[in-house]
Amino acid sequence: MKTLPPGQKESLIFPRFGLPQYANRFPENPETVKFLVAGDLDKFVISDELTSLPRTRQVSDFHCVTTWSKLNITWSGYLFSDFYNHIILPKISEEMTFVVLKAQDGYKTSLPLKDLLQSNVLLADQMDDRPLCIEHGAPLRIVAPDHYGYKNLKHIKSIEFYKDHKVIKQGLLSFMDHPRARVAFEERARKGPSVLFRWLYKFGIESTIRDFEKATLEYQKKLRIKH
Ligand SMILES: Nc1nc2c(c(=O)[nH]1)N[C@H]1C(S)=C(S)[C@@H](COP(=O)(O)O)O[C@H]1N2
Ligand SMILES: [Mo]
């Protein structure tokens, strides 16, 4: 049996999940990959450019900070490092160190660039060999298996590259957001003991899953009425 990272428990389901205030927010464009590149460089839009990169497929585990882990999820898409090296690097003259990720549902997060350049970080457009569904981040999401779920941004709207660290107002409360959030080091929150957060977050799991499920069903019902 696989050993799980500290404080994590295996979940047999892979629920749509997040902060409750995002349960009712869905991407305007879940169909086509299209996002903005911005920050300390001249802005531009990415649409078909990714298809010039080699595709990659990986099986990895997913660890939510609230202590559930779903093992062996098959993702495919493009390596973030290929995207950076082949599409971003040729357009910049100064070194970037920090990345802000923004989503179509208003969620945001950030990571040091070096964390996103790890060889298991993807811009994923498929899960289980099918296009990403709405629940799991259509049309394109970040997959960063060594980082808690909250750094695995779904429904990518823009990726901003900065020369220096930047303080952003996150989708999370500021104490909740660790600047790196590495699972192996149990970097659950910016402040406070991790074991406390293991325990606190556990109480919210079931109601969060229910809220997200209910919102998804309502969204699907509305879509059916429209079509
Ligand atoms: N755009 C967006 N990305 C997001 C979130 C969100 O609410 N919105 N929630 C984060 C959290 S806390 C987790 S655990 C994972 C959940 O991914 P899943 O819904 O595919 O299970 O997405 C992360 N990325
Ligand atoms: Mo999460």
Side-chain angles (χ1 to χ4, degrees):
M1 235 182 61
K2 237 183 209 173
T3 34
L4 285 162
Q8 295 297 115
K9 280 214 177 72
E10 182 175 359
S11 162
L12 297 176
I13 56 161
F14 184 33
R16 174 172 177 250
F17 206 85
L19 281 179
Q21 62 262 42
Y22 291 92
N24 283 295
R25 301 191 200 166
F26 292 89
E28 318 87 75
N29 161 33
E31 307 285 336
T32 36
V33 171
K34 190 176 174 191
F35 63 91
L36 181 75
V37 174
D40 290 335
L41 46 77
D42 294 328
K43 290 187 204 171
F44 62 99
V45 173
I46 293 272
S47 48
D48 296 332
E49 292 82 346
L50 288 184
T51 58
S52 68
L53 302 174
R55 287 195 65 85
T56 178
R57 186 170 178 274
Q58 96 185 5
V59 177
S60 49
D61 301 340
F62 188 95
H63 309 289
C64 174
V65 73
T66 63
T67 70
W68 61 265
S69 294
K70 180 72 176 80
L71 305 183
N72 303 319
I73 305 173
T74 304
W75 301 104
S76 46
Y78 308 94
L79 283 178
F80 193 94
S81 61
D82 280 340
F83 161 65
Y84 185 72
N85 292 329
H86 298 290
I87 299 177
I88 305 301
L89 262 188
K91 296 198 192 267
I92 57 178
S93 50
E94 279 172 288
E95 209 181 314
M96 301 290 161
T97 68
F98 188 72
V99 181
V100 175
L101 304 160
K102 293 186 178 164
Q104 293 187 41
D105 60 357
Y107 184 81
K108 296 180 226 181
T109 192
S110 64
L111 272 174
L113 175 62
K114 64 169 185 248
D115 287 21
L116 289 166
L117 295 180
Q118 273 179 222
S119 60
N120 60 354
V121 177
L122 307 186
L123 290 167
D125 59 3
Q126 291 189 6
M127 190 182 101
D128 296 334
D129 301 311
R130 301 169 67 171
L132 269 190
C133 55
I134 295 270
E135 290 93 315
H136 294 302
L140 189 73
R141 80 175 297 164
I142 299 284
V143 171
D146 294 344
H147 295 76
Y148 285 118
Y150 67 87
K151 299 293 189 184
N152 290 238
L153 184 118
K154 299 186 283 187
H155 321 301
I156 297 175
K157 183 181 187 178
S158 65
I159 303 184
E160 302 172 1
F161 293 90
Y162 293 98
K163 287 182 275 185
D164 305 301
H165 183 87
K166 224 174 125 58
V167 179
I168 60 157
K169 209 171 160 281
Q170 310 266 42
L172 299 160
L173 300 175
S174 59
F175 79 87
M176 291 168 117
D177 183 56
H178 190 284
R180 297 187 78 185
R182 289 169 300 173
V183 179
F185 299 95
E186 215 181 340
E187 293 168 338
R188 284 185 203 271
R190 189 177 290 264
K191 287 201 187 87
S194 292
V195 283
L196 171 69
F197 290 106
R198 285 186 194 175
W199 181 79
L200 270 178
Y201 285 150
K202 260 180 214 167
F203 294 104
I205 299 176
E206 285 193 13
S207 64
T208 304
I209 293 176
R210 253 184 278 122
D211 287 354
F212 273 78
E213 251 172 18
K214 191 164 162 256
T216 309
L217 287 172
E218 276 163 19
Y219 171 78
Q220 286 165 341
K221 206 162 115 190
K222 267 191 224 138
L223 276 189
R224 275 198 300 275
I225 294 167
K226 253 183 41 200
H227 290 293

